[in-house]
């Protein structure tokens, strides 16, 4: 799934992405670390892997979108 980086806190390695329908979804440090990223800037396109649905939707991996 693709999304757009919305917020990112480098101190905690947490933030939010916006799904293409505008829904914000938070991610935690383990999801950020799993993608081996060093930095994330708002507006970057990212690829995410998730589990759960609805209110239980959780990001398990976040990486940069490559073409």
């Amino acid at each position: 799934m693709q999304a757009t980086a919305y917020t990112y806190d480098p101190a905690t390695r947490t933030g939010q992405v916006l799904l293409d329908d505008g829904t914000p979804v938070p991610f935690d440090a383990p999801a950020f670390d799993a993608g081996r990223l060093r930095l994330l800037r708002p507006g970057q396109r990212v690829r995410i892997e998730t589990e759960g649905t609805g209110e239980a939707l959780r990001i398990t991996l976040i990486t940069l979108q490559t073409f």
Side-chain angles (χ1 to χ4, degrees), residues 1-7 15-28 30-35 37 40 44-52 57-66:
M1 179 184 301
Q2 295 181 27
T4 303
Y6 182 53
T7 64
Q16 288 185 327
V17 300
L18 292 178
L19 302 181
D20 289 341
D21 67 0
T23 303
V25 180
F27 62 88
D28 55 14
F32 184 81
D33 294 343
L37 296 175
L40 192 60
Q44 284 182 301
R45 286 296 284 178
V46 294
R47 185 179 68 82
I48 58 173
E49 292 182 10
T50 62
E51 64 183 23
L57 184 67
R58 183 174 91 79
I59 295 175
T60 59
L61 173 76
I62 183 168
T63 61
L64 292 180
Q65 177 64 36
T66 58

